[in-house]
Amino acid sequence: MTIQLKDSSLLKTQAFIDGAWVDGDKGETFAVTDPATGQHLADVASVGADETRRAIAAADRAMIEWKALPAKSRSDVLEKWHQLIVDNTEDLAVIMTAEQGKTLAESRGEVAYGASFVKWFAEEGKRVYGDIIPTPSDRRGVVVKQPVGVVAAITPWNFPNAMITRKAGPALAVGCAIVLKPAAETPLSALALVELANRAGLPAGLFSVLPGMDAPAIGGEMTSNPTVKKVTFTGSTPVGKLLMKQCADTVKRTSMELGGNAPVIIFDDADLDLAIAGALTAKYRNSGQTCICANRLLVQEGIYDAFVEKFSAAVSEFRIGNGFEAATTHGPVITEKAAKEIHSKVQNAVEEGATVVIGGQPGEQGACFYQPTVLTNVTEDMRVFREEIFGPVAPVFKFSTEADAIRMANDTEFGLAAYVYTESMGRSWRVSEAVDYGMVGVNETAISSEVIPFGGVKESGQGREGSKYGLDDYLETKYICFGALQR
Ligand code: SIN
């Protein structure tokens, strides 16, 4: 074990089921490695369908008392969990950088981001209001909101902390129990988070964490078990579609936060420096591995050359390396396979005529590194236009008119986030309304926070996370009719 923590008891390698740390039934484990160094970090228990079934049964039992508590009592536990996450920021960040590769600064930022969902939903869970409806007759309709039931969550490796808290926070706040399968690449962050939830006094069974290599077995049980009433997933569109199909048999509710293909539309009238700063953040955050990362930079012809020159100069200042080293601005990508996939998209573009302005090759720092890359002379039939790149590669496309930009932005099956840079108020409204995306940043790419509804349209998914809307995904609406009021 090579991760050095202030509190070494945060480094957990067993599954957490029904309030207890346990090995998998078959005693199987899987290795977690540091993508920056390839170093072995830990062997983690690998569970399957049987352990998942037990966790779901425990969740069902635990929910009975939890949902009956006043919202304030649930909120008190979440407030304690939030404080423990904040107090242990440094250890959680070290675990994250070790297993995910992002820089320590980014990991600290993500821990704060993750904690913010717990805090927000601790507060917002106290504001689950209903309605009283005056009906046309001698009756009153009362609408109450109730917890949806046992929730199963499957979370990704790109944000090993925040994608968990933005599901567990609202679920627990409204009275649900949750069983979670974290990504196999980053289970240690999830296990540390549930250890802190346990220390905060969360009753046994309400939050189980099921690490495992056999995703079809765990996911298959989650999606077929009738006790699970809702499945929430963040990850790729193909896996999301599969989970939705599997959930159909028992008519489960689903929330899907899936792939993106975000355009950053930069008009001639944009503030160029502001647009460059925004595009750099949107493209290279987490080494290009977020669902809302800029996938396509669409730049109007009048400022195209100036944009490419200044943008590439800024990219040339980046230093890729081990996320623990202070000079590193960008860490590795998650696996060697991911680095190869990114390179194959770049090669496809180059074979089709693209020009590499900077980068364009795997990094020399290790198998999981890829050079920050800028491509020009790119066209709409290339893979870098059609597919999610999920790496530090910026293809810069040229457009002529506003109508062209809108057409190009919408020419994708995805619809998560889009960004627009213009100094024209009218254009910012027109374009924001015309693009088919769940979220639009106008002169801003840092759009995420706990107070906004994060989510997409089209094949980028359904449901919203964060904000008051994020509670709805964990609530059922019940109508109660009070009749015979004149008796
Ligand atoms: C994601 O990549 O899915 C999450 C990004 C964010 O929350 O900003």
Side-chain angles (χ1 to χ4, degrees), residues 311-396:
F311 184 79
S312 307
V315 172
S316 71
E317 301 291 318
F318 290 163
R319 291 288 162 266
I320 54 172
N322 189 319
F324 285 112
E325 287 164 14
T328 298
T329 58
H330 294 79
V333 295
I334 190 70
T335 56
E336 184 174 354
K337 185 168 169 244
K340 286 189 170 145
E341 179 60 19
I342 294 162
H343 192 47
S344 82
K345 287 175 188 155
V346 171
Q347 280 177 314
N348 163 265
V350 171
E351 280 157 19
E352 303 284 322
T355 304
V356 176
V357 182
I358 186 166
Q361 292 297 327
E364 286 153 9
Q365 295 78 356
C368 300
F369 285 90
Y370 201 81
Q371 294 176 347
T373 297
V374 179
L375 301 174
T376 55
N377 291 319
V378 277
T379 59
E380 294 175 44
D381 46 9
M382 292 176 182
R383 289 179 65 198
V384 288
F385 186 91
R386 307 253 142 236
E387 297 174 23
E388 190 172 30
I389 302 170
F390 233 63
V393 176
V396 193

Side-chain angles (χ1 to χ4, degrees), residues 14 19 40 49 69 87 160 163 165 178 195 199 221 290 363 390 438 456:
Q14 291 175 295
H40 176 262
L69 287 175
D87 293 347
M163 299 303 102
T165 55
I178 184 162
E195 163 66 11
R199 288 185 197 175
E221 182 62 32
T290 87
F390 233 63

Side-chain angles (χ1 to χ4, degrees), residues 113 117 156 158-159 162-163 166 234 257-258 285 289-292 390 416 448 454:
Y113 182 39
F117 288 105
N158 61 342
F159 288 88
M163 299 303 102
R166 78 177 176 191
T234 298
E257 204 268 88
L258 308 177
R285 176 182 176 214
Q289 303 170 108
T290 87
C291 303
I292 58 168
F390 233 63
L416 191 56
S448 301
F454 189 103

